[in-house]
Amino acid sequence: EVQAPKGYASSDEEFVFSTHIDDMKQEKLTVSHTFKNEITKVSISKKDITNDEEIAGAFLVVYNKEDNTILDTWTSGDDGLNEDGTIKTHLIKGLEVGKTYYLEEIIAPHGYAIANEIAFTVLNTGEIQKVEMMDEIVMGQLKWKKTGEIFNESIAGTSEFGETLSPIWNEANLTGAEITIYAAEDIRVGNHTYYKADEAIETLVSAEEDVLSKELFVGRYYYVETKVAEGYVVDTTKHYFEIKNS
């Protein structure tokens, strides 16, 4: 077989036939044989770059850049689960051998950044060809400082009793205060729940400069003051903040 139909891999089968001298007496000799071609198959994986696991919730497109024809669209996870409970890859059949196609992520799953476009070329085989697209997890940090009025200068003056010093109170960063960060909801990204609602995550201690939390997954959090700077009243308010999927 010299050329297979579009969307199929060519057959490497060789058909050998022979003729007998008596066949030469015929004006036309007909020989028939059926070649069996396998359709091309491309398996598309959408994975978490940190653990190589298949993830659900990505809206994906495969298209031909020559004419911008869309060949397939789907959401990862919609193909169901394997027997072991893992997410099935998406299978595309009938792409043309030798052509280059493009895989684009339109919407990333919750907690992930949109991946760069991937180009892949279909090989001349009936075996399953694998294409993988990896997503990176979006992380963020809380920047925190504790401020209050402190007595850090004075103004000299005079009164009827003589020389005086008047205290000046200025707002500044306070040291030694502590806050604890909690999850305001179950923090789940991909196939894993990293923190349960109201689970304590980290304690920060205020300093003269702003302090940063450790990297946090996309989701809602809050912090509460758990230790007050000396001479100040504790703030018992829950302060909510969010790490956004941006």
Side-chain angles (χ1 to χ4, degrees):
E1 185 178 46
V2 178
Q3 178 71 47
K6 285 185 179 181
Y8 289 83
S10 58
S11 172
D12 57 2
E13 179 187 1
E14 292 184 357
F15 172 58
V16 179
F17 64 93
S18 60
T19 59
H20 191 269
I21 191 168
D22 292 337
D23 296 331
M24 303 302 292
K25 298 176 182 178
Q26 302 181 39
E27 292 184 6
K28 184 178 181 180
L29 182 64
T30 301
V31 178
S32 64
H33 180 75
T34 301
F35 284 96
K36 293 182 179 180
N37 295 93
E38 287 193 62
I39 195 167
T40 61
K41 299 175 283 290
V42 177
S43 172
I44 308 289
S45 290
K46 187 60 183 169
K47 292 186 173 183
D48 182 325
I49 199 170
T50 63
N51 54 31
D52 207 40
E53 294 178 356
E54 295 285 337
I55 51 177
F59 182 66
L60 302 162
V61 173
V62 168
Y63 71 100
N64 180 349
K65 231 172 196 179
E66 293 176 1
D67 55 9
N68 288 323
T69 301
I70 294 176
L71 284 305
D72 200 0
T73 63
W74 72 99
T75 299
S76 61
D78 284 356
D79 292 287
L81 301 176
N82 298 304
E83 291 183 359
D84 61 0
T86 58
I87 295 169
K88 285 185 177 181
T89 61
H90 182 70
L91 191 66
I92 303 177
K93 295 182 179 181
L95 296 179
E96 191 173 341
V97 170
K99 276 205 168 185
T100 298
Y101 298 91
Y102 291 83
L103 171 63
E104 182 179 1
E105 184 173 33
I106 306 300
I107 299 174
H110 171 76
Y112 292 90
I114 291 178
N116 292 328
E117 184 178 75
I118 290 177
F120 64 94
T121 301
V122 179
L123 303 178
N124 188 18
T125 176
E127 296 181 357
I128 295 176
Q129 303 172 54
K130 296 181 179 180
V131 176
E132 291 185 353
M133 177 178 274
M134 299 289 192
D135 271 3
E136 293 186 0
I137 293 177
V138 175
M139 305 294 285
Q141 290 176 286
L142 171 69
K143 180 190 284 188
W144 174 72
K145 62 182 178 182
K146 179 65 176 179
T147 60
E149 290 188 339
I150 62 172
F151 169 43
N152 58 4
E153 64 175 312
S154 60
I155 297 177
T158 59
S159 72
E160 58 182 305
F161 301 105
E163 293 185 354
T164 61
L165 288 176
S166 300
I168 302 297
W169 295 81
N170 295 305
E171 187 171 284
N173 282 7
L174 302 179
T175 61
E178 292 183 1
I179 62 168
T180 300
I181 299 172
Y182 297 86
E185 61 188 1
D186 288 354
I187 304 298
R188 183 174 179 82
V189 177
N191 304 321
H192 300 276
T193 299
Y194 291 93
Y195 303 111
K196 299 293 288 182
D198 297 315
E199 179 180 345
I201 298 171
E202 183 183 19
T203 296
L204 301 180
V205 180
S206 64
E208 292 182 359
E209 304 295 331
D210 295 353
V211 293
L212 289 173
S213 71
K214 69 181 188 178
E215 291 195 325
L216 300 170
F217 299 95
V218 168
R220 293 181 66 247
Y221 302 83
Y222 65 89
Y223 66 84
V224 177
E225 189 171 44
T226 47
K227 182 180 177 182
V228 68
E230 186 176 353
Y232 293 85
V233 177
V234 66
D235 177 10
T236 58
T237 306
K238 288 183 178 180
H239 298 271
Y240 289 87
F241 65 97
E242 185 177 2
I243 304 298
K244 294 185 177 181
N245 206 37
S246 58

